[in-house]
Amino acid sequence: MAEPAVQAVVVLAAGQGTRMRSGTPKVLHTLGGRSMLGHVLAAVAPLGAPRVVVVVGAGREAVQQHLAEVAPDALTAVQEEQNGSGHAAAVALDAVGDLTGPVLIVNGDAPLLRPETVAGLVAQHRAEGAALTVLTAEVQDPTGLGRIVRDGAGAVRAIVEERDADAAQRALREVNAGVYLGDADAVREALGRVGAANDQGEQYLTDVLGLLVADGRPVGGHRAEDPADTLGCNDQRELAERRRTLNDRVLDRLMRDGVTVVDPQTTWVDVTVRVAAGATLHPGVQLHGSTTVAGGAVVGPDSTLTDTVVGERARVVRAHCERAVVGADVSVGPFAYLRPGTDLGAGAKVGTFVETKNAEVGAGAKVPHLTYVGDATIGEGTNIGAASVFVNYDGVAKHRTSIGSHARTGADNMFVAPVTVGDGAYTAAGSVITHDVPPGAMAVGRARQRNVAGWVGRRRPGTPAAHAAEAAESRSATPAAAAPGNATTPAERDDDEQGTTTR
Ligand code: UD1
Ligand code: CA
């Protein structure tokens, strides 16, 4: 097996992040679906370093908990007091005292760093046989960053922090990216000599470079191809800028791969999302987590999908979806809320003002309007009437409703779970379904209508309603009392109970 490019990666993540003005440790702020720390770890992951050490300090419980989720193999080293980046690096190297060979040290607040940029640094470091190589960038505005000081021959001589720099040094636009590749022994030894005689009274990791230069050791600077890769993130405005840059990169990649992004300005896609060629994202779409969108699918406008699977040619319009599976050719929305455990079979429809949760909706089944489907199975080809509620909660426990295939349930039904409606069954509009309905039956679960003839004329005389009724009666050949439904003992009828089953 080939030697790994580096023996260890050290991520500096103990700083307060005071400038964020946030209770959340800086490196846990998220952009593009990962924490800053997560992005840094992803950028160095292809190196395959045998050890990854994250230096934690401020907010360390939260950082350690996060690491347990996203990088369970990472070691942590605790920096009790934040005495500077040099001190942090020393704490890490102490924690892996037996470490020799190349070690990559990287600031935890470099969320735009990419594997190819790290690879460029590694390649130059190896080619030059350097003791230390620092990643640098030429930037328009170097404010606040450490400047790279080179000699007349172009060799790197020092890194000077802005607050310790003279006017000539401040004018330099090549800056330190906060990513260093060095020989573990050389770095460890130099760190032992780093003082704190600077404006902040901290031990600067950047001083290691000058010390090695003074020792006559070979030191290099690798300019990043894309300076954006090296940008740190120190406050909320920078976080928003980094987030925008990251999103632009993601959308760029999608568009190159054949995804139609109608409005890149209002479309936000996490780095972890996959969208196939031929899919369309309309304005106001946010795709998060493990969401995947298949070819021919159309998402948006104004839809947020988290950990959701969208099948081929499906349409998702003005919807909020979480951990849902939307099958091929499915139609969702406008104005739908798909909650975890929703699974829509091919060609199904979940329409307007519909909420679903733990709901399996069979192929071609439709839930078109104003309905809550919770803890339910709906068979293929079934139609659920408008304004229905799957009554899944008895105040203590949740229960399931099962509706068979090709059933037609009436509008305004309550399915009081646990309850089963058989294949091909019908239910009447306005029914409260509390008992199982056998296959092929028509269930009627409502009070029969009773009309009290002439009530308005007697009880509300002189009102516009009474006048309208009188006028209607005088026009009508059929006296009101003889209209259907007015019989005092109506015969059972089985042909018109259902009312409107919507389609
Ligand atoms: C640092 C560099 C600067 C570079 C810039 C790039 C130093 C002295 N300066 O400046 O040259 O241009 O990054 O973004 O390193 N940290 C600890 N423990 C500490 C102090 C810091 O772990 O005691 C960590 C922070 O969490 C952060 C990193 O080290 O991830 C850098 O610290 P930060 O305060 O952000 O340094 P900058 O001022 O940005
Ligand atoms: Ca920083």
Side-chain angles (χ1 to χ4, degrees):
M1 229 174 90
E3 275 281 286
V6 304
Q7 292 298 328
V9 168
V10 170
V11 184
L12 308 182
Q16 300 273 15
T18 320
R19 289 166 281 178
M20 295 299 288
R21 294 180 173 271
S22 159
T24 304
K26 175 160 80 175
V27 295
L28 297 190
H29 284 81
T30 60
L31 58 164
R34 281 191 185 130
S35 65
M36 276 195 229
L37 182 54
H39 284 293
V40 171
L41 292 170
V44 300
L47 293 174
R51 286 187 277 192
V52 174
V53 186
V54 180
V55 185
V56 298
R60 70 167 177 251
E61 293 81 7
V63 177
Q64 277 169 332
Q65 196 180 332
H66 178 65
L67 281 170
E69 287 162 25
V70 304
D73 293 338
L75 312 167
T76 56
V78 177
Q79 185 192 22
E80 294 291 349
E81 269 177 80
Q82 281 71 62
N83 294 330
S85 52
H87 179 244
V91 166
L93 293 183
D94 279 355
V96 284
D98 57 335
L99 178 71
T100 58
V103 54
L104 183 90
I105 305 176
V106 52
N107 284 357
D109 65 347
L112 299 181
L113 190 63
R114 285 181 296 186
E116 50 265 46
T117 301
V118 175
L121 174 68
V122 171
Q124 181 175 331
H125 181 78
R126 277 184 169 173
E128 294 183 349
L132 180 72
T133 308
V134 57
L135 183 68
T136 76
E138 293 279 354
V139 296
Q140 289 300 319
D141 178 12
T143 307
L145 297 167
R147 306 298 203 276
I148 302 295
V149 180
R150 292 182 185 256
D151 64 17
V156 176
R157 305 302 295 170
I159 304 171
V160 182
E161 291 306 297
E162 178 170 274
R163 48 211 303 171
D164 305 306
D166 60 31
Q169 289 166 339
R170 276 179 200 225
L172 297 170
R173 291 200 292 110
E174 188 184 3
V175 298
N176 168 27
V179 185
Y180 320 80
L181 182 52
D183 174 73
D185 287 330
V187 172
R188 189 184 284 114
E189 188 279 327
L191 279 171
R193 291 184 279 147
V194 166
N198 52 55
D199 188 63
Q200 294 199 92
E202 287 185 353
Q203 297 171 33
Y204 288 168
L205 175 54
T206 48
D207 286 353
V208 163
L209 187 137
L211 289 167
L212 292 176
V213 167
D215 292 345
R217 304 291 304 268
V219 164
H222 174 72
R223 284 192 182 84
E225 251 169 60
D226 183 352
D229 268 55
T230 68
L231 295 173
C233 181
N234 297 304
D235 60 31
Q236 300 285 353
R237 289 174 56 242
E238 287 182 351
L239 176 59
E241 282 171 20
R242 305 295 170 262
R243 185 179 287 120
R244 170 63 71 186
T245 305
L246 190 62
N247 194 57
D248 286 346
R249 284 179 171 180
V250 170
L251 297 184
D252 238 59
R253 169 171 54 81
L254 293 185
M255 291 186 279
R256 275 181 218 284
D257 290 351
V259 176
T260 299
V261 181
V262 176
D263 181 14
Q265 290 301 306
T266 63
T267 304
W268 293 87
V269 179
D270 284 355
V271 297
T272 44
V273 166
R274 283 179 295 133
V275 185
T280 299
L281 307 180
H282 280 295
V285 165
Q286 300 174 46
L287 305 179
H288 297 303
S290 62
T291 294
T292 62
V293 179
V298 179
V299 180
D302 302 330
S303 297
T304 302
L305 278 57
T306 303
D307 302 335
T308 288
V309 177
V310 179
E312 289 181 336
R313 297 171 304 278
R315 298 184 59 93
V316 179
V317 182
R318 293 186 204 282
H320 192 93
C321 310
E322 223 182 306
R323 281 194 272 143
V325 177
V326 175
D329 302 297
V330 163
S331 170
V332 175
F335 307 106
Y337 181 18
L338 308 187
R339 292 168 52 197
T342 295
D343 188 343
L344 311 179
K349 177 189 171 83
V350 164
T352 308
F353 303 117
V354 173
E355 174 179 340
T356 61
K357 185 212 70 172
N358 281 337
E360 264 174 64
V361 178
K366 293 182 167 51
V367 188
H369 333 270
L370 299 157
T371 291
Y372 173 61
V373 183
D375 301 309
T377 304
I378 296 173
E380 62 172 49
T382 283
N383 191 91
I384 304 298
S388 293
V389 175
F390 286 62
V391 183
N392 58 333
Y393 186 45
D394 61 13
V396 179
K398 302 278 170 73
H399 304 280
R400 265 193 103 74
T401 297
S402 172
I403 309 235
S405 57
H406 300 287
R408 294 282 179 272
T409 68
D412 192 31
N413 274 200
M414 299 291 124
F415 298 99
V416 181
V419 72
T420 297
V421 176
D423 291 347
Y426 276 51
T427 63
S431 287
V432 179
I433 303 296
T434 52
H435 293 96
D436 290 354
V437 182
M442 154 66 90
V444 185
R446 66 182 186 210
R448 181 167 294 281
Q449 180 177 334
R450 186 169 69 93
N451 293 346
V452 182
W455 186 94
V456 174
R458 292 194 303 278
R459 298 297 194 90
R460 301 287 185 269
T463 60
H467 294 313
E470 267 167 44
E473 267 166 36
S474 66
R475 279 195 309 270
S476 166
T478 319
N486 289 354
T488 45
T489 55
E492 279 301 325
R493 288 167 294 117
D494 66 3
D495 56 348
D496 64 351
E497 291 286 3
Q498 198 199 8
T500 46
T501 290
T502 55
R503 269 164 246 278

